[in-house]
Amino acid sequence: MDATLSAQGKRRSQPRLGLYASLLPPLIWTTLLYFVPLAILISFSVWRLEEFDIVKEFSLTNFKTIVTNPAYRTIILRTVGTALGVTFIDIAVALPLGFFIAKYGGRWRSLLTLLVILPLWSSYLVRVFAWKIILGYNGVLNTLLIELGILHEPSSAFLYNQFSTMLTFVHVWLPFMVLPVITAFERLPNDLWEASADLNAPPWTTFRRVILPLVTPGILAGSINVFSLTMGDFITPSLVGSPKGIMLGNVISSQFGVSYNWPLGAAFSLVVMLIVFAGLAIALKQGALDSL
Amino acid sequence: MTTVGSEPATTTDLPRQRSRPWLLGLWAVVVYGFLYLPLAVLVVMSFNNSRILSLPFKGFTTRWYSIAFSDEAIRVSLGNSLQVAAIATLLSTIFGLLAAFAIYRYRFFGRNAFRIALNLPILLPGIVTGVAMLAYFSNLGLELSLGTVILGHAVFGLPVALGPMLTRLSQFPRNLEEAAYDLGAKPAQVFTGVIFPYIRSAVIAGALLAFTLSFDEVVVTIFLTGRDNTLPMEIWGRLRTNITPEIAAVATLVLVLSTGLVLLSQWEAAREE
């Protein structure tokens, strides 16, 4: 009894020390290497470039350029549209798969899950490039279609367009959607199905009214991943996309690279951040925090 | 009624609910095919006796592998990548472990905000991290090098490593901790003797994830790299100019090696439980 009391007393006397020792190092680390850089990026976005020199005065020139230039508006819309499209397709692909693995996977469940993640361990660049080999003019798909007699000559319709961009995105980000979805399905108690079935609910109703609301946090967590990854990517559009189909990531990387207009690039980064924050806010409001 | 889920759906004890699992199974087969098709194509191309990466298959060769092995630039960049990933992983795991402990152990003001803040580097696109750190380092007058790449990777590595640890800690039976305190253990002893052994596999899983993501990273690296290339940067440079089968060979080797690593860690985790 005495020992318990003194142990508890000791724990209460210096809990703050442990808190600071564990909380401060990661906090300072992330602040110095992430939040300070973000602040600097934001300050760049309100500076401007004049005659190859950065003028360090507050102005909204860059944002005015972004809003008034119709070409930039199109790029923003295209990027958001692509990211949303890829997210929804990945949800549609991942839901039945996650459901199957979690419910019918049995003792193969962890193996099946592992098989979903495994492609992530091959180079991302090379996976994107592989689609070029598949969809290209001399590619695998064309060779196959000609062998089968469906096509008489190779078609260039498969590569360097919005279709190949979306397909590649759906492929490379799919594991990021499937994983949280599987986790969400695995958390469901089994008797939920039986209860719903015992009440004579048809499977589809059970799914829509009982299961779907419960796996929504998992879907949201996956959606944040996929949406954000697509919003900032420039590798896929530059390898398999159309030259006319560039996305915000391409604009940012070119402003920080060959175009050498860091203030404008920073302003574009801010646009990307704001759009992702908007998506994040929606997801967090729906209760995605625990699945992050 | 027996429970479903622990067994494959071969038993028919739930007549009303047998909603065609074969259809779902078929879907799973199609999705796995979709996931692995590009990898399969790559592996096949790495053995194809042809200078161009296209079909038809012109015979088996290991020529591209010997070319890749003797390629100085590939060897050097591979060494750089391993070095970057190892140091970034170490930093990520240490800071991730501290953060996980703070979040698990204490209730403090702004705890959820702290969690979200730490996760921001993976919630926001990598390109934002890349250009922000580029602007920062240039303001500081810091020259870009493998060192800046390591810092960049460690920034997004922290939340990557943190994730599995937090998940595991949320399942930790708190009475174990209470018992240790009641037996007179000090907080540091409780951490090293009770909590850490429990989350060890999650720490390894998190570290492994951080390592592989760093090893493969392009978007952040592109902005922070100096003269020395990492392997993905080397591949990126070649993809844009002349793509050759030895890149397919390198990719296949990386795939085989990392698959081995993952399987090893899974086996380790399974053995532990």
Side-chain angles (χ1 to χ4, degrees):
Chain A
M1 197 62 165
D2 252 336
T4 323
L5 279 177
S6 74
Q8 276 174 356
K10 210 181 286 169
R11 219 184 316 159
R12 282 204 196 97
S13 68
Q14 38 168 260
R16 292 291 117 177
L17 186 70
L19 172 62
Y20 293 137
S22 56
L23 177 74
L24 288 182
L27 192 61
I28 294 171
W29 170 259
T30 307
T31 304
L32 280 184
L33 283 172
Y34 193 70
F35 290 107
V36 174
L38 279 191
I40 288 171
L41 186 72
I42 293 169
S43 67
F44 261 98
S45 74
V46 294
W47 294 339
R48 63 183 188 276
L49 194 78
E50 263 172 29
E51 318 258 326
F52 304 106
D53 269 324
I54 293 170
V55 181
K56 296 189 177 179
E57 281 166 25
F58 180 86
S59 86
L60 293 174
T61 320
N62 303 313
F63 295 99
K64 211 183 277 168
T65 311
I66 294 174
V67 175
T68 51
N69 187 329
Y72 287 151
R73 275 209 306 267
T74 313
I75 292 175
I76 294 176
L77 286 179
R78 181 190 299 128
T79 309
V80 175
T82 307
L84 283 177
V86 170
T87 307
F88 283 116
I89 296 173
D90 269 343
I91 293 175
V93 174
L95 264 186
L97 181 71
F99 177 58
F100 176 79
I101 292 175
K103 195 159 188 316
Y104 300 105
R107 62 199 183 91
W108 301 108
R109 200 155 67 187
S110 43
L111 179 71
L112 288 172
T113 309
L114 188 66
L115 280 177
V116 174
I117 327 173
L118 219 50
L120 283 185
W121 270 276
S122 67
S123 166
Y124 155 74
L125 274 179
V126 173
R127 268 180 294 148
V128 175
F129 187 77
W131 283 105
K132 208 165 158 171
I133 306 177
I134 294 171
L135 301 171
Y137 188 76
N138 291 314
V140 175
L141 184 64
N142 267 322
T143 313
L144 208 71
L145 289 177
I146 290 171
E147 288 286 311
L148 291 172
I150 298 171
L151 284 183
H152 294 293
E153 52 186 73
S155 161
S156 52
F158 306 125
L159 191 59
Y160 302 127
N161 50 35
Q162 187 64 19
F163 162 76
S164 54
T165 309
M166 296 276 283
L167 182 73
T168 307
F169 273 136
V170 165
H171 176 258
V172 289
W173 306 142
L174 184 60
F176 291 98
M177 179 66 82
V178 179
L179 274 190
V181 168
I182 293 178
T183 313
F185 272 121
E186 280 178 347
R187 282 187 193 157
L188 294 182
N190 261 319
D191 34 7
L192 214 71
W193 292 90
E194 297 174 23
S196 186
D198 286 349
L199 294 168
N200 263 331
W204 175 242
T205 311
T206 307
F207 183 79
R208 202 167 44 89
R209 301 280 297 273
V210 182
I211 307 301
L212 202 56
L214 289 170
V215 294
T216 300
I219 298 175
L220 287 170
S223 302
I224 295 174
N225 291 339
V226 174
F227 184 74
S228 168
L229 285 165
T230 315
M231 279 301 297
D233 192 274
F234 58 93
I235 306 286
T236 295
S238 62
L239 280 181
V240 300
S242 138
K244 284 176 291 179
I246 60 166
M247 295 181 35
L248 280 173
N250 302 84
V251 177
I252 295 171
S253 83
S254 108
Q255 296 303 336
F256 275 89
V258 284
S259 304
Y260 203 71
N261 187 344
W262 285 22
L264 185 60
F268 270 112
S269 311
L270 213 64
V271 171
V272 168
M273 275 170 68
L274 289 177
I275 295 170
V276 174
F277 269 132
L280 195 61
I282 295 171
L284 285 178
K285 216 174 163 190
Q286 311 282 333
L289 183 62
D290 289 332
S291 305
L292 287 181
Chain B
M1 211 181 244
T2 54
T3 49
V4 223
S6 54
E7 272 173 22
T10 44
T11 45
T12 53
D13 46 350
L14 285 175
R16 268 168 306 190
Q17 228 193 259
R18 277 174 45 83
S19 56
R20 275 163 275 148
W22 61 268
L23 205 63
L24 285 170
L26 190 69
W27 181 252
V29 170
V30 170
V31 176
Y32 280 110
F34 172 65
L35 274 174
Y36 281 90
L37 171 76
L39 300 186
V41 166
L42 215 75
V43 174
V44 169
M45 291 304 174
S46 77
F47 290 110
N48 188 6
N49 193 5
S50 155
R51 195 68 217 155
I52 341 161
L53 289 163
S54 69
L55 288 177
F57 197 72
K58 288 187 178 146
F60 181 87
T61 179
T62 53
R63 180 152 58 108
W64 310 121
Y65 287 86
S66 42
I67 292 180
F69 275 123
S70 56
D71 191 313
E72 183 68 20
I74 288 179
R75 265 215 311 267
V76 170
S77 63
L78 175 69
N80 289 342
S81 272
L82 289 173
Q83 190 192 336
V84 166
I87 303 174
T89 302
L90 192 68
L91 290 168
S92 313
T93 312
I94 292 170
F95 287 115
L97 199 57
L98 287 169
F101 184 68
I103 292 169
Y104 158 76
R105 185 66 186 75
Y106 300 102
R107 299 286 165 275
F108 52 90
F109 176 74
R111 186 164 162 269
N112 266 344
F114 177 63
R115 256 185 92 170
I116 297 172
L118 286 186
N119 270 304
L120 266 192
I122 46 171
L123 292 176
L124 288 180
I127 193 167
V128 173
T129 313
V131 295
M133 290 184 85
L134 171 63
Y136 181 51
F137 292 145
S138 120
N139 260 18
L140 291 177
L142 209 65
E143 205 176 319
L144 297 180
S145 64
L146 286 182
T148 49
V149 175
I150 290 172
L151 291 178
H153 287 194
V155 161
F156 70 78
L158 195 165
V160 168
L162 176 64
M165 295 186 212
L166 276 184
T167 311
R168 185 83 175 132
L169 272 175
S170 69
Q171 301 157 350
F172 182 73
R174 277 192 184 244
N175 49 6
L176 270 185
E177 199 186 341
E178 296 289 323
Y181 280 120
D182 289 350
L183 292 170
K186 296 195 171 62
Q189 285 177 315
V190 172
F191 182 73
T192 52
V194 182
I195 299 179
F196 187 77
Y198 184 80
I199 61 168
R200 210 179 73 108
S201 60
V203 175
I204 295 176
L208 196 78
L209 199 59
F211 185 91
T212 42
L213 286 184
S214 161
F215 190 71
D216 191 31
E217 220 288 330
V218 194
V219 173
V220 175
T221 318
I222 256 180
F223 296 103
L224 301 180
T225 198
R227 264 174 306 144
D228 299 310
N229 270 347
T230 60
L231 185 61
M233 285 298 103
E234 183 66 33
I235 295 177
W236 171 243
R238 295 181 186 213
L239 280 189
R240 295 202 296 176
T241 52
N242 55 330
I243 171 68
T244 47
E246 54 259 34
I247 294 295
V250 172
T252 307
L253 284 176
V254 170
L255 179 65
V256 171
L257 283 178
S258 43
T259 306
L261 257 176
V262 175
L263 292 180
L264 198 73
S265 83
Q266 290 284 321
W267 177 73
E268 168 79 19
R271 205 184 49 152
E272 210 166 83
E273 278 152 27

